Amino acid sequence: MPEGHALNKILKDIIVKYKSLRGFRSPYIPGWDCHGLPIEHQLMKEKGWDKRKVGRVPFRQEATRYAEHWIEAQKREFKRLGVLGEWDRPYKTLSPDYEAGIARAFYDLFEKGYVVQDKKPVYWCPTCETALAEAEVEYADKTSTSVFVKFPVVEWPANVALAFHPEGRYRLYESGQTHERFLVGDPGWKLLEEMFGPGKSNAPAVEGLSLEGLVAKNPLNNNDSQGVLAEFVSAEEGTGVVHIAPGHGEDDHVVGKSYGLPVLSPVDDRGRFTPEVLPNDLAGVSVWDANPVIVERLAKAQTLLKEVKITHSYPHCWRCKNPILFRAALQWFLKVGDAFRTALIQSTNHVDWIPEYGQERILGMLRTRPDWCLSRQRYWGTPIPMFLCEQCREPLRDRAVFDRVVAEFEKHGGDVWYEKDAAYFGATTPCAKCGHAGYRKEEDIVDVWFDSGVSWAAVLGRRPETRGTKRTDVMYLEGSDQHRGWFQTSLLPAVALTGEPPFGRVLTHGFVLDGQGRAMSKSLGNVIAPQELIQKYGADIVRLWVAVTDYREDVRLSQDILDRVIDTYRKIRNTLRFLLGNLADFDPGKHARPLNALDPLDAAALGAFNETLEKASRHYDEAAFHLVTATLADSFCINALSEYYLDVRKDVLYCDAPDAPRRRSAQTAFWIIARGLAKVLAPLLSFTAEETWQTLREENRLAPEDNPESVFLNPFPSPVPLTGAPVLAEFLRARRAVNEAIEKARQTGVVKGANDALLPLKVPAGGPLASLDAAALASVLGVAAVQPATAPVDTPEPGAVTVAPGAKCGRCWLWRELTPAGLCARCADAERAAQPA
Ligand SMILES: [Zn+2]
Ligand SMILES: [Zn+2]
Ligand SMILES: [Zn+2]
């Protein structure tokens, strides 16, 4: 499992658990994208199969087994992270009901006119032999040959036109040396002078606009090449004239379409020229191998002016990493027309994007996104459920037939598409276009991004757990690369079919980097596998690492970072252990003190807990988990409890008589805090929280209203109903000042430490400390004794610290007036209470 998966799954789990504790029905149905090239490639390789030789159904069955195997392995890992979900009933895009959902969405889009068949250039991987979508293309540097070819010539055999910029300036250049004449755009003049010396022009310059309709000859095949206008022709570089191949480029296709030029694409699935290519001796040669041949021919024909190597960013296949082609073939597209694009753009305003820049990011992509090529010429996917007229390829439009297809998919999955013929599904009505009554089934499969893109239709609203869920209640949570991927591929079908986005909130997280901000890779040797962390430290350490990081940016993971996480974890764990350990003789039914009878310090601790709850839930609601952790761990468990409250309460817990009201008061607060903390921490430290809960259960220390089965079946704690609880921060402040004074007195040898120190104190009037008598004040400050100070100072003066009267009590080690048995009065009472009556 990569670190990024752990980050993603844990973030989702924290939200699901928090919402559940908050009383929302928050089912998490884990899902798996099962189809696609990675498995297909892997399986073909392992089995030594060839796409052309293996049958579709046997292949699909093997791929299903293969995918199921990986699903089970991943499932175990996600469970081990403590992720709660319907693991026995996940959704899988390979399951019959899901494939039926894909088919249904596809046909609905077809009926509404969004999905059409078209022949236009698409990204094509000649290695994988399939069309690719925008999201499956990676850009990498590639060196290509760029050639400058003599007028009236062009470079590639699929060329049908020459494009001029409509406002470009074109002049006739005549070489002073060779008297050859060239029609070039302004940028080309310099180029020609470099080759043929200073030139002159005997004719006035013309605008590109007037060159529309000019006819030139393609030097490779002598075909006519027509002059057309295109805005994308550069006025700064090159010659000002660009060759156009409408079958091999998006821009070229648009220009070609407006001039009615033929879409020539004489290239086969493997990227080799077909026999239609002219000159046709290139047939069978791959386009990459043909390049130097063509250049050589142009040179021989003396039409090659110049050849330069350029390194540019060129699209490559995401799967096999080879350079790809633009190739026109009949494909299914989800059309993104102007009205639809506007609807998509507007729909983003109805989504809560976290962080906010997510909206700008997806808008940038939506504004320019091309039509979505939905068909793939592969095996491992959901069949495109369309029937095509045997004679004219017109798709059959017939709801009843289609309903039958969906019903069959639901029963048998997509295999049935390949096992039965068109007539079996009822495709027998005459073609609407040509009247022929015979159909063949589409053989292509649906792009896997469409599979996951319709999960809102195939899962939400179909599964009983999610029935009645409003779209606005749905959150999508993925890495920030999914603006380009899943968020977009989900938005398109949803807006087309329902007019609304499929989600109400989209939360993105960054990527996991090492301590120095580098991506993790095997070659750098900086990979930290979550499985190993779980084995070494337990899953809660991985969860806490996720919880303490601000995931909105890229997230760091290194041993140093882990060490800090482990340290925080230990402190939280020790706090919980201390709370539980001091409840050993506490029976809540018998010993819990009423809230209005608590000792002021215990009331203050519960007040601090209330404040923590309020802050933590605010940050949980904002999905700012690093702030939840800072509140719970740093501010509460460490600063308030561990370093102060629990520390000064030790004396009361260990040395007061078991039933002393002050001791029972402290235990009551401990008991409330332990149960509350288990619940608040549960979404983050799920294992530790459950362990705490089960300890409370085994020791009969749950309240009657608590659900003993699991901490997750309890509501998020509500504030402890206190009235006028003192503020813990004031106790803390006083204790810090007292500690400083004692430390200085200790250094000068006046006292040994807090146990023998007497402090003269002037307590601020009206504050929480003012209501305490001297003994109580000494207890909450953790010192031997205090006495009212005369000097008008709020803080103790180091010089005023003296040794407390009396001697060290043999039981509590505080300096007090002692009984003949060597005990202070409190300890003597406690001993008496412990004697059997
Ligand atoms: Zn490929
Ligand atoms: Zn027909
Ligand atoms: Zn004592």
Side-chain angles (χ1 to χ4, degrees):
M1 165 175 44
E3 310 80 7
H5 280 188
L7 173 71
N8 180 263
K9 291 290 177 294
I10 291 170
L11 285 174
K12 281 178 182 158
D13 189 52
I14 292 174
I15 292 174
V16 168
K17 282 174 177 160
Y18 171 67
K19 288 291 178 187
S20 302
L21 292 177
R22 275 291 182 196
F24 293 94
R25 200 163 50 85
S26 327
Y28 171 57
I29 306 176
W32 272 274
D33 251 341
C34 312
H35 296 136
L37 271 179
I39 284 186
E40 186 165 334
H41 269 298
Q42 194 60 30
L43 199 57
M44 294 278 187
K45 209 168 99 189
E46 272 180 27
K47 298 270 172 188
W49 282 345
D50 179 328
K51 181 182 158 191
R52 281 172 213 79
K53 288 177 195 145
V54 65
R56 279 181 187 264
V57 174
F59 178 83
R60 291 172 55 88
Q61 285 165 351
E62 196 56 41
T64 302
R65 270 194 290 278
Y66 191 87
E68 295 278 9
H69 168 80
W70 284 109
I71 289 173
E72 289 310 313
Q74 281 200 339
K75 207 191 267 185
R76 277 194 296 277
E77 292 180 345
F78 296 153
K79 280 186 184 173
R80 187 62 195 86
L81 284 173
V83 176
L84 273 189
E86 301 207 31
W87 296 110
D88 297 335
R89 300 178 61 240
Y91 75 83
K92 303 169 192 172
T93 57
L94 59 67
S95 68
D97 61 328
Y98 200 103
E99 287 195 332
I102 295 167
R104 199 181 292 114
F106 193 97
Y107 193 79
D108 289 348
L109 286 163
F110 167 72
E111 256 191 352
K112 285 195 151 201
Y114 286 98
V115 163
V116 297
Q117 241 187 338
D118 199 359
K119 187 178 182 185
K120 54 175 250 169
V122 293
Y123 295 112
W124 184 273
C125 177
T127 314
C128 300
E129 299 176 45
T130 183
L132 297 174
E134 184 91 326
E136 292 168 320
V137 170
E138 294 171 352
Y139 284 80
D141 280 352
K142 176 181 179 295
T143 305
S144 302
T145 306
S146 175
V147 290
F148 297 90
V149 181
K150 255 189 219 178
F151 169 76
V153 298
V154 281
E155 46 176 327
W156 307 137
N159 162 277
V160 291
L162 288 172
F164 302 94
H165 192 286
E167 281 117 49
R169 229 159 63 103
Y170 292 86
R171 283 185 289 166
L172 205 57
Y173 162 97
E174 184 176 337
S175 163
Q177 295 166 6
T178 66
H179 303 289
E180 256 188 301
R181 302 208 298 179
F182 299 90
L183 178 67
V184 284
D186 272 351
W189 190 275
K190 205 170 134 242
L191 197 88
L192 289 169
E193 288 198 327
E194 280 168 19
M195 287 182 275
F196 302 107
K200 56 177 181 170
S201 186
N202 292 327
V206 293
E207 262 202 332
L209 209 52
S210 63
L211 298 171
E212 189 179 23
L214 166 147
V215 178
K217 287 283 176 213
N218 180 331
L220 282 172
N221 54 26
N222 230 26
N223 278 355
D224 283 351
S225 192
Q226 179 190 337
V228 297
L229 302 177
E231 296 278 348
F232 62 78
V233 176
S234 172
E236 275 88 44
E237 290 171 88
T239 59
V241 191
V242 174
H243 92 94
I244 294 292
H248 293 279
E250 176 78 28
D251 286 341
D252 299 33
H253 182 71
V254 173
V255 173
K257 214 169 171 185
S258 64
Y259 284 93
L261 302 175
V263 180
L264 293 188
S265 191
V267 175
D268 71 8
D269 289 1
R270 300 195 198 187
R272 299 171 305 199
F273 281 114
T274 59
E276 296 137 46
V277 74
L278 287 174
N280 60 21
D281 60 334
L282 286 176
V285 180
S286 107
V287 294
W288 313 119
D289 296 342
N291 279 343
V293 178
I294 291 169
V295 171
E296 204 187 300
R297 281 190 196 175
L298 290 168
K300 265 200 193 132
Q302 299 195 321
T303 52
L304 181 72
L305 287 176
K306 190 178 177 187
E307 177 191 357
V308 289
K309 298 277 179 212
I310 51 162
T311 300
H312 56 152
S313 176
Y314 187 87
H316 288 66
C317 172
W318 68 290
R319 179 63 215 163
C320 69
K321 312 292 176 199
N322 289 309
I324 58 178
L325 303 171
F326 286 96
R327 172 177 181 243
L330 208 53
Q331 304 279 355
W332 291 94
F333 291 93
L334 200 164
K335 298 294 276 184
V336 184
D338 291 343
F340 184 39
R341 191 184 307 280
T342 307
L344 288 169
I345 287 170
Q346 279 168 358
S347 78
T348 64
N349 292 326
H350 305 293
V351 178
D352 185 10
W353 302 91
I354 311 168
E356 272 174 35
Y357 60 72
Q359 183 176 10
E360 225 7 84
R361 187 173 284 183
I362 199 163
L363 277 178
M365 296 166 185
L366 290 174
R367 286 189 191 111
T368 56
R369 86 144 291 137
D371 296 341
W372 178 3
C373 177
L374 292 176
S375 37
R376 293 290 180 281
Q377 292 65 50
R378 302 295 315 188
Y379 279 12
W380 187 221
T382 305
I384 289 180
M386 301 300 288
F387 298 98
L388 302 168
C389 170
E390 277 170 342
Q391 282 196 350
C392 71
R393 280 195 70 94
E394 178 72 5
L396 174 66
R397 202 175 279 271
D398 188 330
R399 215 355 116 165
V401 172
F402 182 72
D403 287 344
R404 173 108 196 249
V405 172
V406 168
E408 290 288 319
F409 272 36
E410 252 158 13
K411 255 186 264 167
H412 311 290
D415 288 359
V416 73
W417 185 253
Y418 304 107
E419 287 164 341
K420 306 288 182 187
D421 59 15
Y424 173 85
F425 297 102
T428 51
T429 42
C431 167
K433 203 167 161 195
C434 75
H436 177 81
Y439 295 87
R440 62 173 194 80
K441 296 168 296 170
E442 174 59 79
E443 290 202 335
D444 292 352
I445 58 166
V446 186
D447 176 13
V448 284
W449 285 97
F450 188 81
D451 288 12
S452 54
V454 298
S455 60
W456 56 270
V459 182
L460 271 188
R462 296 226 156 236
R463 289 282 292 254
E465 311 89 305
T466 59
R467 209 158 280 160
T469 306
K470 291 199 297 282
R471 294 271 164 69
T472 45
D473 295 335
V474 175
M475 175 191 252
Y476 278 34
L477 191 167
E478 296 297 333
S480 51
D481 52 338
Q482 297 302 332
H483 289 114
R484 185 184 183 213
W486 192 41
F487 303 147
Q488 217 183 120
T489 57
S490 298
L491 191 68
L492 263 68
V495 171
L497 290 177
T498 71
E500 310 175 347
F503 30 62
R505 290 175 104 187
V506 171
L507 189 150
T508 45
H509 56 78
F511 295 95
V512 182
L513 308 175
D514 73 3
Q516 295 162 46
R518 299 171 305 178
M520 293 200 174
S521 72
K522 279 200 184 111
S523 56
L524 282 175
N526 57 357
V527 176
I528 299 183
Q531 294 94 314
E532 282 167 33
L533 296 183
I534 293 174
Q535 260 181 356
K536 215 162 151 191
Y537 307 112
D540 272 355
I541 292 295
V542 184
R543 299 184 65 96
L544 189 58
W545 162 67
V546 170
V548 299
T549 40
D550 185 355
Y551 60 82
R552 292 153 209 239
E553 304 298 324
D554 285 340
V555 166
R556 306 279 176 106
L557 178 59
S558 68
Q559 192 58 47
D560 281 353
I561 292 167
L562 276 174
D563 288 345
R564 287 199 290 276
V565 170
I566 291 165
D567 188 51
T568 304
Y569 175 77
R570 284 210 185 107
K571 286 175 176 157
I572 298 172
R573 191 174 174 87
N574 287 343
T575 302
L576 288 167
R577 275 174 60 169
F578 188 83
L579 291 170
L580 295 179
N582 280 288
L583 292 174
D585 67 337
F586 181 76
D587 178 344
K590 257 196 247 162
H591 302 130
R593 304 272 297 159
L595 291 175
N596 59 12
L598 291 181
D599 202 69
L601 177 60
D602 302 318
L606 290 179
F609 178 61
N610 279 352
E611 213 178 289
T612 303
L613 270 185
E614 187 270 317
K615 269 195 202 159
S617 32
R618 186 151 38 86
H619 295 317
Y620 265 130
D621 286 333
E622 296 161 346
F625 308 126
H626 61 300
L627 300 181
V628 177
T629 329
T631 305
L632 287 174
D634 303 332
S635 308
F636 191 62
C637 285
I638 300 173
N639 292 344
L641 296 189
S642 173
E643 285 174 7
Y644 172 61
Y645 175 62
L646 303 184
D647 190 35
V648 298
R649 270 308 184 224
K650 277 179 196 158
D651 171 64
V652 167
L653 287 156
Y654 300 164
C655 302
D656 278 10
D659 264 332
R662 191 167 67 164
R663 185 164 175 275
R664 293 304 187 199
S665 164
Q667 284 180 316
T668 304
F670 278 30
W671 178 62
I672 293 171
I673 292 172
R675 285 163 51 236
L677 265 184
K679 295 180 210 168
V680 192
L681 285 170
L684 309 172
L685 298 176
S686 301
F687 291 94
T688 308
E690 187 65 31
E691 192 190 333
T692 305
W693 198 253
Q694 292 310 322
T695 305
L696 286 162
R697 174 196 190 170
E698 280 157 26
E699 297 178 352
N700 285 320
R701 266 181 278 283
L702 289 178
E705 70 269 25
D706 290 336
N707 184 332
E709 207 177 319
S710 165
V711 69
F712 295 105
L713 297 175
N714 287 274
F716 196 81
S718 13
V720 186
L722 301 165
T723 38
V727 181
L728 190 73
E730 298 205 24
F731 290 82
L732 260 161
R733 215 172 8 250
R735 148 90 159 188
R736 226 167 267 145
V738 161
N739 274 356
E740 270 174 39
I742 293 175
E743 179 52 24
K744 282 183 186 139
R746 192 189 64 78
Q747 282 168 11
T748 53
V750 177
V751 294
K752 292 201 184 72
N755 281 357
D756 64 341
L758 166 78
L759 286 98
L761 278 181
K762 180 170 180 1
V763 172
L769 303 178
S771 64
L772 304 178
D773 62 26
L777 194 53
S779 173
V780 302
L781 296 175
V783 299
V786 294
Q787 66 182 193
T790 45
V793 286
D794 287 354
T795 48
E797 286 185 65
V801 177
T802 54
V803 176
K808 183 174 165 185
C809 167
R811 187 166 170 274
C812 69
W813 296 10
L814 290 169
W815 282 57
R816 296 280 156 87
E817 301 293 351
L818 303 181
T819 64
L823 297 177
C824 70
R826 182 264 314 260
C827 288
D829 280 353
E831 293 273 282
R832 246 192 319 278
Q835 300 295 322

